[in-house]
Amino acid sequence: MEVNGTATILSSAYLAVEFVDSVLPDNPLQEPLKDAWNHMLQNYSKFQIATWGSLIVHELIYFLFCLPGFIFQFLPFMQKYKIQSDKPETWEKQWKCFKMLLFNHFCIQLPLICGTFYFTEFFSIPYDWDSIPRWPYVMAQCFGCAVIEDTWHYFLHRALHHRRIYKHIHKVHHDFTAPFGMQAEYAHPAETLILGAGFFIGIMLFCNHVILLWAWVTFRLLETIDVHSGYDIPLNPLHLIPFYAGARFHDFHHMNFVGNYGSTFTWWDRLFNTDSQFNKHYTNNKAVKTD
């Protein structure tokens, strides 16, 4: 019964995506993108695309998404959106974070990225333009990856907070009680591997084209940099995602070192009541403001 139920849910999701895809207009940028993609295929090998292409996508996307938060610290009118306004960023903290990032990106993550080509070959994942799924399917696959990664992250992240192992691994990520965007991947190498493993589970289940690797990297980096940004920006389009955690939710975790263990969504914290302190804190704050 459980298998049949899961199959029904997946079938319904697929039909919903098909319907959305059928009513959307054609992408006006499709032809330029097609020419650029085919140019890449003609001039670079699959190994170069999978390895160096993935590294370039990761580095460009990461620091591009970090840039707005970095600029915000110099804009006085943005400080009203800073969650912990009494703890401004400092050059010392940012430099410390940047050095750790370079180590993690090139000594931990790059060796893993080097396995991307062999992963795509083993599972016969295509690279050609004609096999690229339309973007509603890619978005649906990214959402599926996010659900799986969030589940992995919640339980492993919560385990890393256990008093017997916290100081050995996860304490590094909590060096900064007021997070900023660049700190999203600032972590102990062991944590990078432990929590990072959740990133690959969805890929192994859903990946049907190399483009999904890059789309999922982009979405995951956008999400994790946003929740670590330290700024609760109004009209944030990511808040349109159902049960999206957001910066205020995760910022509370860094401020208090407990609760709010989910990475993208709030449902596991709600189910296990690990967001109770967060809810109590902001309920009291609203009451004070009302008074």
Side-chain angles (χ1 to χ4, degrees):
M1 286 292 291
E2 187 175 342
V3 173
N4 291 336
T6 303
T8 301
I9 292 171
L10 291 175
S11 177
S12 300
Y14 179 78
L15 290 173
V17 173
E18 271 200 329
F19 173 75
V20 171
D21 183 47
S22 67
V23 299
L24 289 172
D26 291 334
N27 183 357
L29 299 176
Q30 186 167 357
E31 286 304 314
L33 289 173
K34 179 179 179 180
D35 292 341
W37 191 270
N38 286 330
H39 177 79
M40 178 183 69
L41 293 176
Q42 292 165 7
N43 290 276
Y44 301 97
S45 68
K46 286 186 176 180
F47 178 82
Q48 290 173 317
I49 293 170
T51 304
W52 304 117
S54 297
L55 177 66
I56 291 170
V57 167
H58 182 273
E59 296 307 304
L60 282 179
I61 293 297
Y62 191 88
F63 289 106
L64 180 64
F65 286 162
C66 286
L67 186 59
F70 178 78
I71 295 175
F72 288 166
Q73 65 182 311
F74 304 110
L75 304 177
F77 67 89
M78 290 301 298
Q79 300 316 300
K80 61 184 176 182
Y81 301 121
K82 185 167 174 58
I83 300 166
Q84 297 187 55
S85 56
D86 59 328
K87 298 176 183 176
E89 295 94 339
T90 66
W91 289 109
E92 181 183 5
K93 291 179 180 178
Q94 291 173 7
W95 177 240
K96 178 182 178 181
C97 179
F98 183 70
K99 288 187 292 184
M100 174 69 86
L101 283 179
L102 291 182
F103 176 81
N104 281 346
H105 284 189
F106 293 99
C107 297
I108 306 297
Q109 295 178 2
L110 179 56
L112 296 176
I113 290 173
C114 288
T116 304
F117 167 74
Y118 303 100
F119 168 79
T120 59
E121 288 294 292
F122 183 81
F123 288 99
S124 301
I125 294 170
Y127 288 64
D128 62 294
W129 172 263
D130 293 332
S131 298
I132 295 179
R134 281 174 60 99
W135 69 265
Y137 292 91
V138 175
M139 289 185 66
Q141 289 170 317
C142 285
F143 183 80
C145 288
V147 171
I148 293 170
E149 190 280 333
D150 180 74
T151 302
W152 175 274
H153 189 100
Y154 175 85
F155 291 101
L156 272 294
H157 181 198
R158 188 172 177 179
L160 287 174
H161 272 270
H162 191 280
R163 64 180 182 275
R164 292 185 178 179
I165 58 176
Y166 171 78
K167 64 181 180 180
H168 301 294
I169 298 176
H170 192 54
K171 188 177 186 297
V172 173
H173 185 66
H174 281 278
D175 278 352
F176 309 113
T177 55
F180 48 93
M182 193 167 56
Q183 192 221 339
E185 291 187 340
Y186 176 91
H188 189 285
E191 178 175 337
T192 300
L193 295 173
I194 293 169
L195 296 185
F199 173 90
F200 297 100
I201 299 174
I203 287 293
M204 295 178 69
L205 293 175
F206 297 120
C207 193
N208 57 356
H209 196 281
V210 71
I211 195 71
L212 178 62
L213 289 167
W214 295 350
W216 171 222
V217 165
T218 301
F219 176 83
R220 179 69 180 114
L221 290 180
L222 174 61
E223 175 275 323
T224 191
I225 291 169
D226 176 60
V227 302
H228 285 92
S229 68
Y231 290 84
D232 188 17
I233 307 298
L235 304 178
N236 185 338
L238 288 174
H239 286 280
L240 296 174
I241 301 173
F243 299 100
Y244 180 70
R248 191 171 290 278
F249 189 83
H250 193 71
D251 202 282
F252 185 83
H253 174 79
H254 276 265
M255 187 166 37
N256 295 276
F257 307 102
V258 66
N260 296 16
Y261 298 112
S263 60
T264 305
F265 305 107
T266 59
W267 49 51
W268 287 114
D269 285 287
R270 290 185 181 183
L271 181 63
F272 291 102
N273 201 35
T274 48
D275 63 348
S276 58
Q277 291 190 30
F278 170 77
N279 293 331
K280 182 179 179 180
H281 174 79
Y282 282 102
T283 299
N284 291 340
N285 276 1
K286 288 181 180 178
V288 169
K289 289 180 180 179
T290 303
D291 293 343

